[in-house]
Amino acid sequence: MSLLAIILLPFLGSLCAAFMPANARNAEAWLAGTAALATTLLVASLYGDIQSEGVLRASVPWAPSLGLEFSLRMDGFAWLFALLVAAMGTLVVLYARYYMSPEDPVPRFFSFFLAFMGAMLGVVLSGNLIQLAMFWELTSLASFMLIAYWNHRVDARRGARMALTVTATGGLALLAGMLILGHVAGSYDLDVVLQAGDKIRAHAWYPAALALVVLGALTKSAQFPFHFWLPHAMAAPTPVSAYLHSATMVKAGVFLLARLWPVLAGTDAWFWIVGGAGLLSLVVGAYLALFQRDMKGVLAYSTISHLGLITLLLGMNSPLALVAAVFHIINHATFKASLFMAAGIVDHETGTRDMTRLSGLYRAMPITATLALVAAASMAGVPLLNGFLSKEMFFAETVFIARPDFQRVGLPMAATLAGIFSVAYSLRFIHCVFFGRPAQELPRAPHEPPGWMLVPSALLVFACLLVGMFPAHTIGPFLAVATHSLLGASTPEYSLAIWHGFNLPLMMSLAALAGGIVLYQLLRRRADSVPLLEPLDGKRAFDFVQTALSTGSERLMRLLVSRRLQVQLLLIVVFALAAVLLPLTADRAGWTLARPSLPDPAFALLWLVGGACALGTAYKAKRHRLAALVLSGGTGLATCLTFAWFSAPDLALTQLTVEVVTVVLLLLGLRWLPRRNDASAPDIPTSTRLRRWRDRSIALLAGGGLGSLAYIMLTRPAGEGISPFFLEQALPLGGGLNVVNVILVDFRGFDTLGEITVLGIVALTVYALLRRFRPAPESMELTQQQQEHSTPPPDTDAVLPPGPMAVPAVLVRLLMPLALLVSLYFLLRGHNAPGGGFVGGLVLATTVILQYIVGGTVWVESRSRLHPPHWIALGLLAAAAAGCGAWLASLPFLTSLAWHGSLPLVGELHISTVLLFDIGVYMLVVGATVLMLVALAHQSLRAHHRKPARAGEE
Amino acid sequence: MELVYAMAIGIVTGSGVWLLLRPRTFQVIMGLALLSYAVNLFIFAMGRLNMNQAPVLDPTRVIDVAQYADPVPQALVLTAIVIGFATTALFLVVLLASRGFAGTDHVDGSEGEHR
């Protein structure tokens, strides 16, 4: 379980760091440092287990139904890498404590820093390919946040976006590659995949998997031609550059290539793709590093070059080269992080990193200069330092590679050339900054940094020296464990000695040293422009592709998308038609028609009226809205009667009550629509005529289509569905006789809970929208009718409203208790007979609305306040409580509980949580309906009284 | 019976779709109302047309599934009716707000070149 702790510790630390106050710089650093140090110690403590057991595993079920589990796996290689990540993290936290200024919002920094550390450890320790890809993307995200840490700076934002675009795209490719690998291997488990190397290499999809995985690795490790994002990522704070962009994250790419080396390597495709990209990055990166003005720019290109070296080693298909690659991963991390720290210190103490302005800093900061000097020497490959050892191994590999002739000669030459460049830029980095005349006109007078800031750098340099002088006794055993876990029994013999005698690799090293010194002398005068490779600008290509993509998609949007609703609706209807027609044309058997049964004349008459009403609505809706509304109500009534006719009493009741409420609602809305002149335009343009004919034919097609479909369905026997279950189990399981109601409140209670929630949300939305409602100016004045019959202001003390409404008012008030009774009756009997919460609620709401219509809003509200939002809330709570009640009996949410028994006086009783649920539905329906209608009704009052602020309150 | 029922669905659908494609908000809202009638009838018809077979059980007799109308489409349609009311209300308020905001009852918020 300590494996799990290794991943969780940084993430927990990240969470804690995020919630600390902005100025708690020391506390943050202590927290991050403790988390990182604890992780380091945890990793280190596992060394014994790794040595004895080989591979440690831990897994937590993640999505067991999909066969996925969160699995961690640590072998020697993963252990070494995890130790690198954790230890480097600890050192960089210490460095960052002094680097970050008190004005910087440090919680954000340390939080993302630790999150990155956790994600990176996740990549290293993942025992599952998909999980690895997930952590991989997490590191990209953390890197994005950290590059853009100073988000007020344009270059930081741009650099972050570019890094994320490149690495996340690569991550997607990697995911695809992982899916293929897992598919071919038959499992996403790393152990299984590592065993399936032969099967994968022989598979037809191997090239695709290889290309995708390598794409992910090359983008992450900033390899040519995706190298351009790394120099732009240097806008990040220097600790981030030291940690993410030299020591760890960019190593994830080569880590993955090494991890999958037993699976993917060994083919010509691997050699050309991986080796080719590595060689190009090695030479081009080193060459470009020669011409940078920014200290961090030099280091960035140098990182690209060294990663290229590692990639090239991995691409050579030789186990010995793999050993060298792993060795160089560690060596590069130590000297490069230390150099980044030195660059950060110089920046911190002088205020600039521009190498043309810096000079002669040795006198002001001798310790920093000495440390940088040693680290740079290691980078250049000077003997007695660790960089020399792995470079020597690299040279040896290029010399002894078993490839055809031109490669055997070309490769050592290219390697030596890169070595020359490397020596030259290392020399330039040190000589230019620390030696020569002391610089004038620096932003700040240079001096040594606080002692603790030098400690991490010093430790790393010490490691360089130690490994460089006593390799077999320091790094030797760890390297052996790591390479053995990758290569198993085929681990080659290798020697970590400093002295191998006068051989070709040593000659190459010496040649590189001498050539580099000469080259630096030659290049001292020119440093601003890059000769030869000037047109090779990855950033420009990236920008070009980005612009082309965005303008292209804009053009496509303009071509394919309309913002006009009519066009959109037309497309929806046409597509719906096509979607229904296509399967029908494929299967001609569906077209055979059966003879219909003879219609009942009354039913035919009903739909003669109903259909006429529908057509009338279509005809009148433009100019005579009221008529159209009344006519559509006619169709609604016909629908309602149809439901009643064909054995659906619940539907008929609901349709009837909803119909009433809908018509009232729309009537209330009519007042705010613009007046349409009756005089129709004399000449209708041809385009409009054409469009109308088009719409008519579409409507005809849609109507004919749905009608025929209905006919075809109706004349065929019903298929075997799930209905018998509900009919049979309604009584035994649901305890109710009205099956429709039992389905709604019991079997599918969760759906109904969702539905009433939607209803409540809609009501509140309507209310909220109307609170800010601004009617059109021409609708503000009194309506024509109100102007003709000027009504006196309503008298709230009057018993009855004056005028013609007095008699209806009496009737409506008499109706109120009766309607309440009826609605409760519907509610209570709903489980066993037609009725239920929906119908009952609508009946009560209708009565309340009737009071408003007849008595007038002001009069009604002076008598009583209903508070519809409370009803909505109570209704939802009641329904939810009915659902949660099941938990008390340890049953799933919304399981109905019933109690059947007899009480004295009352008699036999059946009480069920279903009733509480239905009461909830009832209350919510009352609240929602009344809230919507009253809110709309209030708009008239508001406009009338011109009191916009208060009127919408209730 | 089936023919009348199917024709009813066809006519109401046709009227609804025609209104749906019109440029005025009120026409569209009426179109949606008509279309929802038609669709509810259509879904309801999936349980076939049964008379005097309401799915209310008679506890005194053994339950014979064939004697009752299909309750599932009924439950679906009941839900649809209530939700239809809610969406109509929401759409009405949105169109009123749009009319107050844009000064026109054209669905696109501006008269445009078409009428």
Side-chain angles (χ1 to χ4, degrees), chain A residues 597 647 659 695 716 723, chain B residues 1-2 22 37 48 50 70:
Chain A
S597 59
S647 323
E659 202 53 54
D695 292 350
R716 273 159 180 69
S723 312
Chain B
M1 220 54 170
E2 288 84 2
R22 297 298 89 217
Y37 292 143
R48 303 299 180 270
N50 309 287
D70 192 342

Side-chain angles (χ1 to χ4, degrees), chain A residues 8 51 81 154 194 208 246 271 281 365 389 458 477 510 515 536 570 581 587 594 608 647 693 719 731 832 877-878:
Chain A
L8 283 182
Q51 258 187 327
F81 217 99
V154 182
L194 288 179
S246 80
F271 173 79
S281 309
M365 34 176 70
L389 294 173
L510 294 178
L536 199 83
L570 186 77
L581 273 178
D587 180 17
L608 199 65
S647 323
W693 276 111
L731 196 53
N832 293 320
L877 285 175

Side-chain angles (χ1 to χ4, degrees), chain A residues 461-676:
Chain A
V461 167
F462 187 60
C464 288
L465 282 163
L466 217 55
V467 171
M469 287 190 271
F470 312 105
H473 301 96
T474 50
I475 195 77
F478 305 132
L479 194 60
V481 167
T483 49
H484 192 80
S485 73
L486 284 175
L487 292 166
S490 59
T491 312
E493 287 288 321
Y494 59 90
S495 155
L496 284 178
I498 306 169
W499 181 252
H500 292 277
F502 281 109
N503 54 11
L504 198 53
L506 187 65
M507 294 297 134
M508 286 162 74
S509 277
L510 294 178
L513 277 174
I517 294 168
V518 173
L519 183 66
Y520 175 57
Q521 292 299 330
L522 290 176
L523 282 176
R524 277 187 78 167
R525 291 206 174 68
R526 48 174 315 171
D528 357 351
S529 68
V530 185
L532 292 178
L533 288 184
E534 186 71 46
L536 199 83
D537 189 348
K539 180 182 172 293
R540 218 180 299 150
F542 176 81
D543 286 343
F544 173 76
V545 171
Q546 214 175 27
T547 327
L549 276 178
S550 65
T551 49
S553 53
E554 252 171 51
R555 229 170 267 160
L556 207 63
M557 285 280 284
R558 268 203 299 270
L559 199 70
L560 294 180
V561 179
S562 170
R563 296 184 58 172
R564 294 182 48 221
L565 186 75
Q566 278 178 282
V567 181
Q568 294 174 18
L569 282 176
L570 186 77
L571 285 176
I572 290 175
V573 172
V574 169
F575 270 95
L577 263 176
V580 176
L581 273 178
L582 274 179
L584 281 180
T585 46
D587 180 17
R588 292 297 165 94
W591 287 103
T592 54
L593 296 181
R595 288 183 63 83
S597 59
L598 267 181
D600 188 324
F603 186 68
L605 190 67
L606 172 70
W607 273 106
L608 199 65
V609 178
C613 281
L615 289 173
T617 310
Y619 182 62
K620 286 286 184 189
K622 185 170 183 188
R623 304 203 179 277
H624 303 101
R625 297 195 188 100
L626 184 62
L629 188 55
V630 172
L631 285 170
S632 89
T635 312
L637 280 181
T639 310
C640 164
L641 285 173
T642 309
F643 288 144
W645 200 298
F646 296 115
S647 323
D650 281 290
L651 290 192
L653 277 172
T654 316
Q655 178 77 58
L656 186 69
T657 41
V658 164
E659 202 53 54
V660 172
V661 180
T662 310
V663 168
V664 174
L665 180 83
L666 291 173
L667 276 174
L668 284 169
L670 283 184
R671 185 210 180 299
W672 302 106
L673 290 171
R675 191 171 300 159
R676 183 126 289 132

